[in-house]
């Protein structure tokens, strides 16, 4: 029989007001195997931990149970204390008598019985505990950043500055993401390009950053510290190494097409660069639009290129990279127009979304910063802005707040009023969410100084009448119907995750929420980590947010990566699966069930009498295994066991509870 | 026309003469007139006693485990292979063993027989009203002769319960096929008994199953007969941890049958052998059927009994519903 110590924590009144801690420790004293039991006001305090250490040493305890708060809170604290006293930390188990007992019950008598039962079960578990030892795993000090928006660039620059190599993968031909499309930025109204381009330029020239634009991650394997990824480099049809960026090709190309960068507000050539400050400043051929690709004739670019770098026959290629950590910064998109038919988006040329407005307000945009409506290029005399278009709307499956629209709508209205002083700007809003430094003041400035009309209420319909757009809505403050004629309607459409986020999540084995935003490991305490070790999150990939918040979060993710790389090897949690080769039949039913692909077949040789027999069994890659336990449930032989949560331990716990 | 038995003998001879197998597994007459038992032949002479007819036979697939080497040993020499008589249901069992990496397909020779359902002599006796002395079987009917009575019974009435719900009348693929055949006896999936039990209140259901499990003598015949039960060491035989107390109590029988049913959940091929071998007639098919029915419904599987490389219950998908 092992010598086990039991410590019951009061957690001040948190536990002791509902659980009779004294009675619990008294009763545990008489429980078989328990050598010592006591209760204490705050076990997590310094004196509390000292008590645990001293008791372990004085009584030569072989295992302890701490009945206190959730193991999520202090398991590591108590395990460290035990380790300092010479006890293997995995011989320490927590009974949660706070979140699972005192906080959820009111009857003290019943709660005490439950607490005692649970502690007894944990004692039984500890009796079956074994010494476990973490393993050292090697580490590749190189990070992969996915997405070249402001968040991805920030991570890349921070990690590169710390001295570690970075691979930045961006699916578009140039970096900058959505911020590159913005005109001016709230709450200071400084020009977006002016603050962005120094960053893009630095990313472009940093010796520690390998930039892979026009590329996507298509496969990922391995585990934290040691991932192997495959990156698909899509063809640009131009040899970027040779190209000198003279853009003669763009100038002479006869084919104009809609520019996706301009969100339909402007045109670009079939061979072109998206915008003048693009990094890398290299053209790409749009295969679908290029005359040569369609008809086999033209080749104007080939004729004018002074360095002969057009390569129509270029193919995509896959590169493989070994890396230690991944940061997902795949950003956002806006809800597609088809989803917002009641506002006539997609039907009327002059109903546009926020990003389209950014383009016509941007100095480098198609109208050179003069706000003109798309249909006829007229300067609008009346603009209606509709907030929460799709956001906070259960019918559009977007019940969440997109967070940035209140602010950019105020910005849009201001930018317009600064240009067209006698024009009217009306904003329909549900309520104004301007939480941020200088944000409320910014909105007030729009209302008071720039006379933007804010109407609280929802818009029912946007339709056309006699060539004019009519916005029909309700002012919920006066309960009156409002009808406004507008030259231009701007919808603050819901922010949604990048189209490819879900697939990316599946490739990287990182979970996404119901909308496709990446899930963080803990909403409060681990907001930049994903549930998969070694994969971190930054920017709008995780949730809608503005630039300052994006940059802070990206810096946090970079710090996580740098901390990880500051060590020479990683230490793995020993609470992983292990196979009992004696009983494993090698059926490998466990293999497809492992979310982390940690299970593989292995052939072992066993002596049976005088003969040596070859057998197939399952083995665990301890680096990949995250200890989720799925395999141990799938294994009907009981050959698969989770160290620290073994079948034996769980069965003993159940017996103590049920018998 | 050659009978299946004759055709089998011819094939067996060829297999042994050409040195293509080390063992042939089939059936021979048992101790009573209509009983059939497994037979093993290591040469042609030994195979002469073997017969094929339509009387109830035990499952053969499970013997492959002990007769063949571990999969890790790889593909064996041709002459080391094992040939086995295989009906559709046997085939599902063999697939189970292959999918579970217990045996390699390359190491066996499947000698297929089409099947219309096996005759349950007990049923025939019951309909006849006495013990049959002679039974003859034709395409559609069974003629049972007793001491006094003679009776022509339609086959459908006397086939084994499991055969009525057969999901595979002949092996889907084979090395040798002994006859061509189309099914005469109508078969359809019948979950009506399970639905009846589903409709019971929890108390009624508990009482129903208590009555069944009380009878269990824990002979483990159901486990031993099952091809899905192919563990190296069954957890019921392991003492540490002890999943089952040795005491005979209804609660322990419940444990035993639940664990057994869950261990074959998603892997049971609906052969019904467990129920057939149970000496105290516990309706194990209802438990297994309920699990198959649920899997078919929940995972949109057409036929849960057919073993597939990846089982509906044995796969991790990122878009699995995660409702908590
Ligand atoms: C109309 C509008 C106006 C705004 N105005 C302001 C403002 O004034 N002030 C402010 O603070 N914020 C503003 N914002 C918010 C701001 O745009 C975001 O906070 C910021 O751009 C988020 O940066 P990001 O890097 O997270 O995402 P993104 O900018 O979306 O960058 C993500 C990048 O990842 C790439 N990518 C996506 N998927 C993949 C993949 N699978 N593989 C490789 N690459 C991928 C994308 O191509 C993109 O380049 C505005 C937003 C909108 C919609
Ligand atoms: S550990 Fe279990 S499930 Fe995995 S191969 Fe072995 S017996 Fe099969
Ligand atoms: S516990 Fe099993 S299923 Fe879970 S990660 Fe480890 S090996 Fe895979």
């Amino acid at each position: 029989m092992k010598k086990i110590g039991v410590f019951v924590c009061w957690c001040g009144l948190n536990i002791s007001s509902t659980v009779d801690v004294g009675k619990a420790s008294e009763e545990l004293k008489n429980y078989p195997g328990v050598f010592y039991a006591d209760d204490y006001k705050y076990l997590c305090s310094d004196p509390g931990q000292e008590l645990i250490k001293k008791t372990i040493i004085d009584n030569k305890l072989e295992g302890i149970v701490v009945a206190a708060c959730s193991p999520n809170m202090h398991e590591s604290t108590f395990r460290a204390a035990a380790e300092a006293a010479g006890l293997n930390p995995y011989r320490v188990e927590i009974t949660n008598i706070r979140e699972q007992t005192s906080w959820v019950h009111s009857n003290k008598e019943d709660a005490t019985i439950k607490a005692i039962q649970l502690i007894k079960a944990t004692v039984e578990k500890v009796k079956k505990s074994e010494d476990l030892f973490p393993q050292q795993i090697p580490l590749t000090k190189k990070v992969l950043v996915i997405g070249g928006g402001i968040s991805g660039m920030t991570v890349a620059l921070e990690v590169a500055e710390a001295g570690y190599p970075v691979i930045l993968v961006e699916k578009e031909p140039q970096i900058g993401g959505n911020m590159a499309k913005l005109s001016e930025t709230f709450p200071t109204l400084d020009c977006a390009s002016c603050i962005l381009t120094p960053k893009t330029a630095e990313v472009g020239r940093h010796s520690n950053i390998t930039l892979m634009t026009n590329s996507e991650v298509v496969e990922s394997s391995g585990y934290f510290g040691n991932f192997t990824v495959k990156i698909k480099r899509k063809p640009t049809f131009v040899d970027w190494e040779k190209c000198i960026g003279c853009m003669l090709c763009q100038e002479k190309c006869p084919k104009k097409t809609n520019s996706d960068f301009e969100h339909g507000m402007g045109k670009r050539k079939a061979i072109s660069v998206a915008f003048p400050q693009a990094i890398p400043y290299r053209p790409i051929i749009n295969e679908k639009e290029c005359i040569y690709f369609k008809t086999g004739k033209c080749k104007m670019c080939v004729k004018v290129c002074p360095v002969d770098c057009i390569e129509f026959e270029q193919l995509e290629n896959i590169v493989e990279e070994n890396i230690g950590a991944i940061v997902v910064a795949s950003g956002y998109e806006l809800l597609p127009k088809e989803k917002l038919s009641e506002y006539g988006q997609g039907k009327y040329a002059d109903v546009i979304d926020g990003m389209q407005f950014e383009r016509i307000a941007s100095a480098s945009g198609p109208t050179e910063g003069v706000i003109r409506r798309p249909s006829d290029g007229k300067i609008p005399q009346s603009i209606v802005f509709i907030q929460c278009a799709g956001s906070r709307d259960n019918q559009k499956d977007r019940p969440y707040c997109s967070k940035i629209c209140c602010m950019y709508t105020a910005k849009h209205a201001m930018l317009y009023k600064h240009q067209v002083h006698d024009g009217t700007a009306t904003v329909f809003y549900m309520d104004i969410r301007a939480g941020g430094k200088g944000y409320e003041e910014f909105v007030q400035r729009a209302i008071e100084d720039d006379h933007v009309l804010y109407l609280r209420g929802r818009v029912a319909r946007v339709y056309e009448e006699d060539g004019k757009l009519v916005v029909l809505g309700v002012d919920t403050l006066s309960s009156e119907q409002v009808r406004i004629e507008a030259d231009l309607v701007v919808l603050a459409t819901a922010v949604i995750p990048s189209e490819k986020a879900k697939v990316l999540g599946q490739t990287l084995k990182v979970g996404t929420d119901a909308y496709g935003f990446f899930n963080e490991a803990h909403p409060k305490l681990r907001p930049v980590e994903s549930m998969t070790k070694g994969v971190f999150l930054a920017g709008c990939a995780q949730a809608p947010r503005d630039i300052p918040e994006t940059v802070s979060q990206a810096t946090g993710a970079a710090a996580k990566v740098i901390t990880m790389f500051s060590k020479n090897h990683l230490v793995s949690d020993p609470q992983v699966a292990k196979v009992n080769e004696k009983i494993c039949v090698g059926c490998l039913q466990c293999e497809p069930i492992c979310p982390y692909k940690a299970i593989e077949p292995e052939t072992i040789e066993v002596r049976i009498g005088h003969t040596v027999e070859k057998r197939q069994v399952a083995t665990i890659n301890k680096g990949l295994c995250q200890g989720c336990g799925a395999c141990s449930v799938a294994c009907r032989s009981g050959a698969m066991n989770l160290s620290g949560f073994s079948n034996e331990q769980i069965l003993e716990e159940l017996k103590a509870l049920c018998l | 026309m050659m009978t299946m038995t004759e055709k089998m003998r011819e094939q067996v001879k060829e297999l042994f003469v050409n040195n293509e197998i080390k063992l042939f597994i089939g059936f021979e007459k048992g101790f009573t007139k209509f009983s059939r038992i497994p037979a093993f032949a290591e040469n042609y002479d030994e195979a002469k006693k073997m017969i094929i007819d339509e009387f109830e036979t035990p499952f053969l697939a499970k013997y492959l485990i002990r007769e063949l080497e571990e999969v890790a040993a790889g593909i064996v020499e041709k002459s080391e292979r094992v040939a086995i008589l295989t009906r559709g249901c046997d085939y599902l069992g063999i697939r189970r063993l292959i999918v579970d990496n217990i045996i390699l397909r390359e190491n066996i020779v499947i000698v297929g027989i089409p099947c219309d359902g096996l005759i349950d002599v007990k049923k025939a006796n019951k309909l006849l009203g006495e013990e049959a002395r002679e039974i003859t079987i034709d395409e559609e009917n069974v003629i049972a002769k007793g001491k006094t009575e003679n009776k022509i019974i339609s086959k459908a009435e006397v086939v084994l319960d499991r055969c009525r719900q057969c999901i595979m009348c002949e092996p889907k693929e084979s090395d040798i096929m002994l006859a061509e055949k189309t099914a005469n006896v109508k078969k359809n999936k019948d979950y009506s008994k399970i639905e009846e039990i589903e409709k019971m209140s929890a108390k009624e259901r508990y009482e129903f199953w208590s009555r069944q499990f009380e009878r269990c003598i824990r002979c483990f015949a159901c486990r031993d007969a099952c091809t899905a039960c192919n563990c190296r060491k069954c957890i019921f035989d392991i003492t540490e941890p002890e999943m089952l107390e040795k005491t005979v109590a209804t609660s322990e029988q419940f444990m035993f049958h639940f664990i057994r049913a869950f261990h074959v959940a998603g892997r049971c091929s609906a052969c019904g052998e467990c129920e057939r071998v149970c000496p105290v007639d516990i309706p194990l098919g209802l438990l297994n059927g309920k699990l198959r029915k649920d899997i078919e419904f929940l995972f949109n599987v057409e036929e849960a009994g057919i073993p597939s490389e990846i089982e509906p219950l044995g796969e991790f998908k990122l878009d699995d519903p995660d409702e908590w």
Side-chain angles (χ1 to χ4, degrees):
Chain A
M1 183 67 70
K2 294 214 168 100
K3 283 168 85 179
I4 291 167
V6 174
F7 301 86
V8 184
C9 186
W10 299 21
C11 194
L13 285 175
N14 268 312
I15 295 173
S16 64
S17 63
T18 330
V19 171
D20 186 340
V21 283
K23 187 173 171 199
S25 68
E26 265 319 298
E27 195 165 328
L28 261 298
K29 271 185 189 142
N30 302 318
Y31 191 73
V34 176
F35 191 76
Y36 171 96
D38 206 353
D39 51 273
Y40 192 78
K41 197 160 185 179
Y42 285 110
L43 281 168
C44 60
S45 67
D46 249 12
Q49 292 183 52
E50 278 312 311
L51 170 77
I52 292 177
K53 283 186 213 166
K54 190 167 176 309
T55 317
I56 293 174
I57 295 168
D58 290 352
N59 299 293
K60 298 202 172 60
L61 295 179
E62 290 163 282
I64 64 165
V65 173
V66 182
C69 52
S70 156
N72 277 335
M73 313 296 297
H74 278 302
E75 186 179 70
S76 49
T77 313
F78 297 126
R79 286 194 163 165
E83 196 170 18
L87 183 68
N88 185 289
Y90 297 95
R91 289 186 184 270
V92 177
E93 292 291 338
I94 311 290
T95 315
N96 182 349
I97 58 165
R98 194 178 74 179
E99 286 84 342
Q100 288 176 0
T101 312
S102 69
W103 281 359
V104 287
H105 298 292
S106 48
N107 181 318
K108 192 162 181 174
E109 208 173 312
D110 290 348
T112 308
I113 294 172
K114 175 172 169 183
I116 291 169
Q117 281 291 317
L118 290 175
I119 300 170
K120 284 179 181 169
T122 318
V123 170
E124 291 301 335
K125 182 180 182 194
V126 172
K127 284 184 189 167
K128 296 273 174 191
S129 292
E130 290 173 348
D131 285 352
L132 299 178
F133 301 95
Q135 272 197 334
Q136 288 189 351
I137 28 183
L139 159 74
T140 314
K141 296 187 186 185
K142 190 177 195 180
V143 68
L144 167 74
V145 180
I146 303 173
I150 183 62
S151 56
M153 290 193 303
T154 306
V155 176
L157 285 171
E158 294 291 337
V159 180
E161 272 303 294
Y164 302 109
V166 179
I167 297 175
L168 180 57
V169 172
E170 166 59 55
K171 72 171 167 39
E172 300 297 326
Q174 72 287 329
I175 52 172
N178 279 308
M179 188 175 166
K181 300 172 193 164
L182 303 184
S183 53
E184 290 167 19
T185 52
F186 63 75
T188 42
L189 290 190
D190 39 0
C191 120
S193 308
C194 311
I195 52 177
L196 183 73
T197 43
K199 292 271 179 201
T200 50
E202 204 183 338
V203 169
R205 65 169 182 263
H206 205 294
S207 58
N208 276 343
I209 301 179
T210 310
L211 191 54
M212 296 192 187
T213 57
N214 213 32
S215 304
E216 274 170 55
V217 176
V218 287
E219 227 181 279
S220 160
S221 58
Y223 48 93
F224 89 121
N226 299 281
F227 295 101
T228 303
V229 291
K230 289 196 177 145
I231 302 162
K232 179 169 86 182
R233 311 215 53 186
K234 297 174 278 187
T236 55
F237 306 107
V238 177
D239 182 342
W240 281 10
E241 297 284 314
K242 269 203 222 159
C243 171
I244 48 170
C246 67
M247 295 302 157
L248 276 170
C249 51
Q250 169 170 301
E251 198 180 299
K252 296 290 184 221
C253 172
K255 175 74 181 178
K256 263 193 180 176
T257 86
N258 266 333
S259 162
D260 45 357
F261 182 82
E262 299 294 357
H263 285 247
M265 296 289 99
K267 303 263 184 216
R268 68 190 275 185
K269 296 286 187 65
I271 182 166
S272 59
V273 64
F275 58 101
Q277 303 100 315
I279 300 280
Y281 190 64
R282 292 287 179 267
I284 164 172
I285 298 180
N286 183 337
E287 212 180 336
K288 287 198 198 87
E289 298 293 341
C290 163
I291 300 173
Y292 174 75
F293 274 108
K294 277 189 182 161
T295 66
K297 292 202 190 79
C298 179
K299 287 201 176 178
M300 181 54 90
C301 45
V302 179
K303 279 173 215 141
V304 298
C305 178
V307 286
D308 196 18
C309 60
I310 310 291
E311 290 181 341
F312 288 119
E313 53 298 319
Q314 216 180 62
L315 297 171
E316 71 174 41
N317 69 331
I318 306 269
V319 292
E320 200 176 281
E321 291 281 347
N322 293 325
I323 46 162
I326 300 175
V327 180
V328 182
S330 54
Y332 71 94
E333 282 166 22
L334 295 181
L335 192 70
K337 300 181 175 201
E338 304 77 58
K339 303 256 167 153
L340 293 164
S341 52
E342 67 268 41
Y343 300 139
Q345 210 191 18
K347 194 158 142 206
Y348 308 123
D350 292 332
V351 178
I352 61 175
D353 67 23
M355 199 50 90
Q356 291 174 314
F357 188 88
E358 292 289 342
R359 291 317 297 150
I360 52 174
S362 168
S364 61
T367 54
E368 282 162 356
V370 182
I371 298 168
R372 294 178 184 282
R373 63 182 202 178
S375 62
D376 54 6
K378 231 179 73 182
I379 293 179
Q381 283 309 303
S382 157
I383 303 191
V384 172
F385 296 91
I386 303 175
Q387 289 193 184
C388 300
S391 304
R392 303 170 71 190
D393 187 345
N394 274 323
Q395 277 161 2
K396 299 278 183 302
D397 301 324
R398 303 285 156 186
Y400 57 84
C401 164
S402 292
K403 205 172 175 182
I404 50 176
C405 327
C406 287
M407 292 306 297
Y408 76 61
T409 301
K411 172 183 82 176
H412 289 173
M414 259 181 178
L415 292 177
Y416 169 67
K417 290 290 288 186
H418 292 175
Q419 274 189 26
V420 187
H421 302 297
D422 58 346
T424 52
T426 316
V427 177
F428 278 95
Y429 70 101
M430 283 167 77
D431 35 37
I432 298 295
R433 298 183 168 178
K437 197 168 174 178
Y439 284 15
E440 176 59 22
E441 297 90 318
F442 184 76
V443 177
Q444 286 309 324
R445 241 166 60 211
I447 299 171
E448 284 162 20
D449 302 351
D450 295 321
H451 308 292
V452 176
L453 177 63
Y454 270 76
L455 285 180
R456 186 168 193 280
R458 293 217 82 156
V459 170
R461 214 151 69 86
V462 177
Y463 59 96
E464 214 173 33
E465 206 176 86
D466 304 331
K468 274 222 150 210
L469 286 171
V470 178
V471 180
L472 208 62
V474 203
D475 176 351
T476 46
L477 292 180
S478 64
S479 298
E480 268 170 36
Q481 232 201 27
V482 256
R483 184 183 180 280
I484 299 173
E485 291 191 350
D487 297 323
L488 184 66
V489 175
V490 184
L491 306 177
T493 43
V495 172
I496 61 169
S498 155
E499 182 202 341
K500 297 198 165 141
K502 227 169 178 131
V503 180
L504 184 62
Q506 285 167 0
T507 310
L508 301 176
K509 294 166 215 80
V510 176
T512 45
D513 66 14
Y515 316 107
F517 290 113
F518 285 89
N519 279 338
E520 62 285 339
H522 188 284
K524 289 163 226 167
L525 301 177
R526 293 166 69 194
V528 300
E529 289 158 79
S530 78
M531 285 298 272
T532 305
K533 262 194 193 167
V535 181
F536 304 96
L537 311 172
C540 293
Q542 190 234 355
R545 48 171 56 95
D546 57 23
I547 298 165
E549 212 183 310
T550 293
V551 171
S552 331
Q553 199 204 13
T555 315
K560 282 277 170 195
V561 174
I562 296 166
T563 312
M564 193 176 151
F565 288 177
S566 67
K567 306 194 177 94
N568 286 328
H569 49 252
L570 298 166
V571 179
S572 75
D573 188 338
Q575 297 183 111
V576 291
K578 65 167 187 236
V579 181
N580 181 345
E581 291 177 350
K582 279 207 197 92
I583 43 182
C584 171
V585 293
C587 66
L588 291 178
Q589 299 261 320
C590 47
E591 191 186 351
I593 220 162
C594 175
Y596 304 97
K597 305 221 177 343
I599 302 172
E600 280 177 8
E602 188 194 21
T603 301
I604 56 162
E605 290 189 351
V606 267
R607 262 200 109 76
I608 298 174
H610 291 293
T611 52
V612 175
E613 211 178 75
K614 273 189 183 168
R615 261 181 37 207
Q616 172 174 295
V617 291
T619 59
I620 304 291
N621 180 326
K622 292 199 164 70
L624 283 175
C625 174
Q626 307 268 319
C628 72
C631 56
S632 94
V633 184
C635 176
R636 66 211 140 83
S637 300
M640 193 62 96
N641 227 337
L642 197 59
S643 299
F645 296 89
S646 67
N647 295 337
E648 292 78 3
Q649 287 177 308
I650 291 165
L651 213 62
E652 288 307 319
E653 279 188 281
L654 287 175
K655 278 189 192 159
L657 283 176
C658 306
L659 299 181
Chain B
M1 206 179 75
M2 259 200 279
T3 64
M4 267 208 272
T5 306
E6 284 160 358
K7 192 135 183 235
M8 166 184 69
R9 288 190 187 146
E10 196 185 272
Q11 292 290 343
V12 176
K13 188 171 182 181
E14 218 167 285
L15 285 169
F16 278 119
V17 169
N18 297 340
N19 222 353
E20 291 205 48
I21 52 168
K22 67 167 182 187
L23 183 75
F24 188 93
I25 312 180
F27 309 106
E28 61 181 304
K29 278 210 170 84
F31 303 106
T32 61
K33 193 159 187 178
F34 307 120
S35 77
R36 302 290 174 259
I37 58 172
F40 302 83
E42 288 184 21
N43 51 53
Y44 175 55
D45 279 338
E46 283 179 11
K48 284 181 181 154
K49 63 192 171 190
M50 292 191 183
I51 53 158
I52 301 176
D53 56 22
E54 289 176 69
F55 289 110
E56 174 179 341
T57 53
F59 245 49
L60 299 178
K62 197 115 186 225
Y63 294 109
L64 291 172
I65 303 180
R66 71 163 199 221
E67 301 299 347
L68 284 167
E69 291 212 47
E70 293 277 348
V71 286
I75 301 176
V76 298
E77 292 288 323
K78 249 189 170 173
S79 59
E80 290 300 303
R81 297 185 302 173
V82 174
I84 182 166
L85 276 189
T86 311
R87 292 195 171 90
C89 47
D90 299 295
Y91 178 77
L92 292 172
I94 294 174
R95 278 300 301 167
R96 178 79 268 152
L97 296 177
I98 293 170
V99 167
D100 285 357
N101 296 320
I102 307 294
I103 55 173
L104 288 176
R105 171 68 181 90
E106 289 82 352
N107 294 349
I108 52 174
V109 176
I110 294 182
V111 182
I113 28 182
C115 169
D116 229 6
L118 297 176
I119 304 302
D120 186 341
V121 179
K122 274 185 275 171
K123 281 190 184 168
N125 287 344
K126 212 168 159 194
L127 288 169
L128 187 64
E130 61 177 303
E131 198 131 320
R133 296 184 161 194
E134 204 65 58
I135 295 182
T136 42
I137 305 163
D138 67 20
E139 289 268 301
E140 266 145 41
N141 296 313
V142 169
I143 304 152
K145 288 187 189 139
K147 206 168 169 188
T148 49
E149 295 280 331
N150 265 11
K151 197 156 192 168
I152 302 178
I153 311 163
S154 109
K155 236 185 200 174
E157 278 185 84
V158 284
V159 297
L160 289 172
D161 282 348
R162 72 163 192 223
C163 297
R164 285 214 195 126
Q165 298 195 41
C166 174
I167 57 172
M168 198 174 268
C169 316
E170 57 177 56
K172 206 163 122 199
E173 106 349 275
S174 61
D175 299 296
I176 298 164
M177 200 64 201
L178 293 181
E180 263 178 54
K181 181 86 173 268
T182 47
N184 284 325
V185 176
K186 228 178 132 52
K187 287 140 191 165
N188 40 38
K189 195 155 24 178
D190 177 13
Y191 286 143
S192 60
K193 279 197 183 141
I194 294 169
E195 277 153 14
E196 262 170 51
I197 297 177
E198 284 171 342
K199 282 191 201 110
M200 293 180 182
S201 70
K203 187 162 172 276
E204 283 168 341
R205 214 164 27 232
Y206 178 74
E207 279 164 5
F208 173 82
W209 284 113
S210 293
R211 278 198 305 282
Q212 311 303 324
F213 294 151
E214 258 161 24
R215 295 201 298 279
C216 176
I217 53 172
R218 267 207 245 160
C219 64
F220 294 118
C222 47
R223 171 197 72 184
D224 294 347
C226 175
T227 42
C229 281
N230 53 35
C231 286
R232 181 169 302 278
K233 213 160 184 203
C234 174
I235 59 144
F236 298 129
D237 297 338
I238 293 173
T239 44
E240 182 64 15
E242 193 180 45
M243 300 303 280
L244 206 59
E245 302 248 331
K246 297 289 172 283
T247 31
V248 180
T250 310
S251 62
E252 290 302 304
Q253 328 283 54
F254 262 97
M255 272 310 271
F256 166 53
H257 285 286
F258 284 171
I259 296 176
R260 190 206 60 79
F262 276 106
H263 277 203
V264 301
R267 309 172 52 254
C268 161
S269 52
C271 70
E273 186 70 355
C274 49
E275 196 170 295
R276 197 189 66 88
V277 298
C278 180
V280 291
D281 283 338
I282 297 176
L284 295 164
L286 292 178
L287 275 185
N288 298 337
K290 164 73 176 156
L291 288 164
R292 282 199 312 279
K293 178 172 177 277
D294 285 356
I295 288 170
E296 283 164 12
F297 172 71
L298 292 169
F299 296 91
N300 213 357
V301 181
E302 193 164 332
E303 182 47 74
I306 298 178
S308 59
E309 296 292 333
I310 292 181
E311 309 293 339
L313 293 183
E315 185 186 16
F316 172 81
K317 282 200 204 132
L318 268 160
D319 56 359
D320 276 344
D322 184 0
E323 278 145 10
W324 52 83

